[in-house]
Amino acid sequence: MLRKINITNAGFLFLIQVNLLVFCHKPTEPIRLWMTPPPEVAKTAAVYGEIRNPFEVDVEIRNIVSNHYKTVEFHETSLDNETQVARMRKKEYPILLKANQTIQLMRSGNHLMLYDKGNVSGKLKLEIQFSNGEIRTIVVEENQL
């Protein structure tokens, strides 16, 4: 009888572990993007988040296309040490993304700038085109700050 109890307990423990693994484990998305919703009249917007290389080799981001905006550019904000003025400059494509590298997109550093908003509605989607031919479509989350 004692042996049956141990086997039963082991079976229950195994089922609990499997359920925890399946239902509680949330895979990390390689690309998460968010923005503060711009006013309706705004023709530009900024996008933040992180882009982690989803491949096991170095790749380049060749282009990013939006379903709402005509142009998507990589920008970098840096502080001029002499004048203490923040300057934003465009970074040209392709953007190198080494294996296992993550690019943090934030207000005071790298970010995406979207220009020339069209008259469209619905969720903002960005299509990231990689040098290996892969294309990833990301829905940009809206966060109120």
Side-chain angles (χ1 to χ4, degrees):
M1 177 124 187
L2 189 57
R3 187 175 188 147
K4 286 184 180 180
I5 292 172
N6 286 338
I7 292 173
T8 303
N9 287 344
F12 282 130
L13 288 174
F14 177 73
L15 288 175
I16 290 170
Q17 288 176 337
V18 168
N19 282 328
L20 287 173
L21 178 67
V22 170
F23 295 109
C24 296
H25 175 62
K26 200 172 190 181
T28 304
E29 294 295 324
I31 302 170
R32 289 203 52 218
L33 302 174
W34 65 272
M35 68 185 296
T36 302
E40 281 296 317
V41 295
K43 291 288 187 185
T44 62
V47 173
Y48 310 102
E50 63 181 35
I51 299 175
R52 182 172 49 88
N53 184 343
F55 312 105
E56 298 196 13
V57 297
D58 295 357
V59 291
E60 295 174 331
I61 297 173
R62 292 286 169 96
N63 196 21
I64 300 178
V65 178
S66 168
N67 65 336
H68 287 196
Y69 294 83
K70 289 183 183 175
T71 307
V72 179
E73 297 177 352
F74 254 91
H75 280 219
E76 178 179 44
T77 302
S78 59
L79 186 64
D80 185 315
N81 291 332
E82 291 180 23
T83 63
Q84 296 300 307
V85 174
R87 302 221 185 267
M88 186 171 68
R89 74 175 180 86
K90 178 181 172 183
K91 295 171 79 174
E92 297 293 333
Y93 292 111
I95 305 294
L96 178 63
L97 198 54
K98 294 189 176 279
N100 300 318
Q101 179 186 3
T102 299
I103 297 175
Q104 297 293 328
L105 302 173
M106 59 188 79
R107 293 183 191 276
S108 59
N110 291 317
H111 58 280
L112 300 177
M113 287 300 300
L114 289 63
Y115 294 102
D116 300 321
K117 184 176 182 184
N119 292 326
V120 293
S121 61
K123 299 256 184 207
L124 172 63
K125 295 178 185 176
L126 296 181
E127 187 177 89
I128 302 175
Q129 301 168 357
F130 293 98
S131 58
N132 64 357
E134 290 277 337
I135 297 174
R136 299 286 170 106
T137 302
I138 310 302
V139 175
V140 178
E141 300 171 20
E142 290 188 356
N143 288 344
Q144 300 288 345
L145 292 181

